[in-house]
Each structure stands twice: as C-alpha cells, then as structure tokens.
Amino acid sequence: MEIALIGNPNTGKTSLFNNLTGSYEYVGNWSGVTVEKKVGVFKNNIGRLIDLPGVYSLNPLSRDEGVVTTFFLEEPVDRLLNILDASQLERNLHLTLQLLEYEKPALIGLNMVDVAANRGIQIDTEKLSQILGVPVVPVVARSGKGCDRLIEVISTSSSHSKVKKHVYYGRAVEEAITRVSIELIGKTDHSPRWLALQLFEGNEYVKRFLSDIVEPARLESYISHLESLLIQENIHVKSLTNYIYLKRKEVIEKILETSVRKVNTVVPLSE
Ligand code: GDP
Ligand code: K
Ligand code: MG
C-alpha cells in the first residue's frame, strides 16, 4: 500500500513522517527540482509513506509546488494522508477540499491539537469527519501522541469519502464540469470533476495533461463557455480562480461553524 502525506507547509509533515515510519526506503530529490523526496516504510509494515512538499493548493504557484500536482497526475497512489494544522483549519481546508475532489481514499491527521487547545479552539472531530466523509484522527506529531491510533485507522478503514460533492460551485460551474466530464469519458482514470475544476482554476499542469487527451482548442472553448455562462447569470468574477476559491471558502466557513467552537482560555469564566 502506498500512502501520500500531504499538507500545507509547516503543519508537522516531517514530524509526523518520522513518527509513522521506521526506516527510509528512499531519500533523494523529486525530479526536476531541488526538493527533498522521502519515502519511508510504516513502522508496522502496512506499506510505504511518501512525503510530498508542503502546498496550500493543488494549483501550483512554483515548480517546487508543481511536484505535488505532477505526482497526482502521474503516480498511482492508494491513499492520501492529509495533515492539517488544527489551529489553522480555515486556511488548511482549502487543500483538503481539493484532495477530496481528487476522489481517492483519504484520511485526515488533525495535527497540533495541543496548540489549538491552548488557543481555546475546540474541534468536534466526529462532526468534522462526518461532514468531510473521511476519518479524522487527532494527533500531536511532535510528541507522537495519537500516532498509533492513526496507523490503526490507516490499516483498517477504507476511507473513501462518503460525501459525493463537498462544494456546490453554482449552476454555471457545475454545468461546465459536466461538459468536461462527458468529454473525458473513457480517456482517463482521474476524477473528471477534479480535472475540470483544476482546469478552470488555471492549473497549467492539469491543462498540459488534458491537452494530450483533448484537443487544446476544445479545452479553451470549455473555459470560455463557462466565462460566458457566468456573465449570462450576471455573476461578475475577478477570475475563475478567485470564484472557485470563494466558493470553497463559503463551504469552509459553514464547516467551521458546525465543528469548531472558540472558548476563552485567558480568563477562566466562573459561574
Ligand atoms: P513541516 O514543515 O510540515 O514538515 O512541519 P515540521 O514537522 O517541520 O513541523 C514544524 C514545526 O512545528 C516544528 O517546530 C515542529 O516541532 C512543530 N510541530 C509539529 N507537530 C507539532 C504538534 O503537534 N504540536 C506542536 N506544538 N508543535 C508541532
Ligand atoms: K518546516
Ligand atoms: Mg517538512
């Protein structure tokens, strides 16, 4: 079993990697960039863990970040382990929603729960897991707390998201996704919804991938069709990238409303 470890920068990926793996199978660089690639063997031998560079989105801003998208497009992976910083959930969940759109089995390691607790952030992990449709395991990667439980969940659950669509992007975008999906029938094993959304967001890596299986002029026509649909609906957007970002943000705000509570930690309230 191959599991990819993915998360925003500084969420504790390296700490978690070291806690979950016993030995390295490979340490080197990702091809084309000077970013370290590490592959480790899980302590209980359930499979291999691949450490991906930290990113905020699957739509890369640099060649280093492009490593992640290339990996998603080219390497078969059985499962995604998405590490989140529990004290920065709002920012972290943008990547999570994109990962769920990729439609591979995923689970979440909710890291830095100690930091969150100190800041009075109470996360209902059951609720979060229910909304996202994947297992959520709280951990403290620095100390190793929760890591045994995480390995147990990785080895036992199937972790295919039970929720089909996490974000509804509005009629125009949904219609455009359908058009691209129909075009892609029988041409790729990747999630058509994920490919379409990344295309609309301006992901150059995905665009290049799609250009090999769909005539580039047709790809452009799907994008311009979507832009004209939005104008017809009187939706004026800065860019498709921004529009899609804002739709995800709305959903994230709702997720946080139902699964996170902020309590005062500075002065304990007395009855
Ligand atoms: P990466 O950049 O995602 O690989 O994150 P690192 O593993 O390098 O961690 C970034 C920093 O956060 C380091 O100083 C870690 O010691 C610290 N850290 C990682 N996990 C935790 C945690 O669960 N709690 C706390 N308090 N600190 C953590
Ligand atoms: K770091
Ligand atoms: Mg690291």
Side-chain angles (χ1 to χ4, degrees), residues 205-244:
Y205 289 69
V206 166
K207 198 177 208 175
R208 222 175 300 140
F209 171 85
L210 287 174
S211 298
D212 288 338
I213 52 178
V214 178
E215 207 186 303
R218 288 182 68 84
L219 288 180
E220 292 303 335
S221 76
Y222 290 120
I223 298 168
S224 51
H225 180 76
L226 170 55
E227 284 165 343
S228 57
L229 276 180
L230 287 170
I231 290 167
Q232 268 174 41
E233 293 194 2
N234 247 321
I235 299 168
H236 298 283
V237 299
K238 221 161 69 182
S239 63
L240 281 180
T241 317
N242 186 245
Y243 180 71
I244 291 169

Side-chain angles (χ1 to χ4, degrees), residues 109-257:
L110 186 65
N111 193 33
M112 310 255 187
V113 286
D114 57 332
V115 179
N118 284 339
R119 293 193 196 155
I121 302 166
Q122 294 183 342
I123 301 166
D124 185 340
T125 51
E126 269 304 311
K127 192 93 208 177
L128 191 58
S129 165
Q130 199 188 321
I131 297 170
L132 298 173
V134 295
V136 175
V137 182
V139 291
V140 179
R142 191 155 72 178
S143 69
K145 195 175 163 194
C147 287
D148 288 346
R149 168 102 185 97
L150 183 59
I151 291 187
E152 194 186 303
V153 173
I154 293 170
S155 47
T156 55
S157 71
S158 71
S159 59
H160 239 305
S161 178
K162 292 170 192 85
V163 182
K164 257 277 169 262
K165 280 182 197 169
H166 295 84
V167 184
Y168 173 73
Y169 289 93
R171 207 182 64 87
V173 173
E174 294 293 339
E175 186 185 319
I177 292 171
T178 303
R179 283 172 160 253
V180 173
S181 301
I182 291 167
E183 172 83 51
L184 292 178
I185 291 172
K187 293 179 182 163
T188 174
D189 290 335
H190 291 304
S191 154
R193 184 173 179 82
W194 179 73
L195 288 170
L197 281 161
Q198 292 293 325
L199 173 73
F200 298 147
E201 277 185 81
N203 186 327
E204 290 299 326
Y205 289 69
V206 166
K207 198 177 208 175
R208 222 175 300 140
F209 171 85
L210 287 174
S211 298
D212 288 338
I213 52 178
V214 178
E215 207 186 303
R218 288 182 68 84
L219 288 180
E220 292 303 335
S221 76
Y222 290 120
I223 298 168
S224 51
H225 180 76
L226 170 55
E227 284 165 343
S228 57
L229 276 180
L230 287 170
I231 290 167
Q232 268 174 41
E233 293 194 2
N234 247 321
I235 299 168
H236 298 283
V237 299
K238 221 161 69 182
S239 63
L240 281 180
T241 317
N242 186 245
Y243 180 71
I244 291 169
Y245 172 85
L246 291 175
K247 287 288 174 190
R248 289 198 187 113
K249 191 166 183 290
E250 278 172 26
V251 170
I252 290 168
E253 279 161 11
K254 286 207 192 88
I255 293 173
L256 296 181
E257 256 170 48

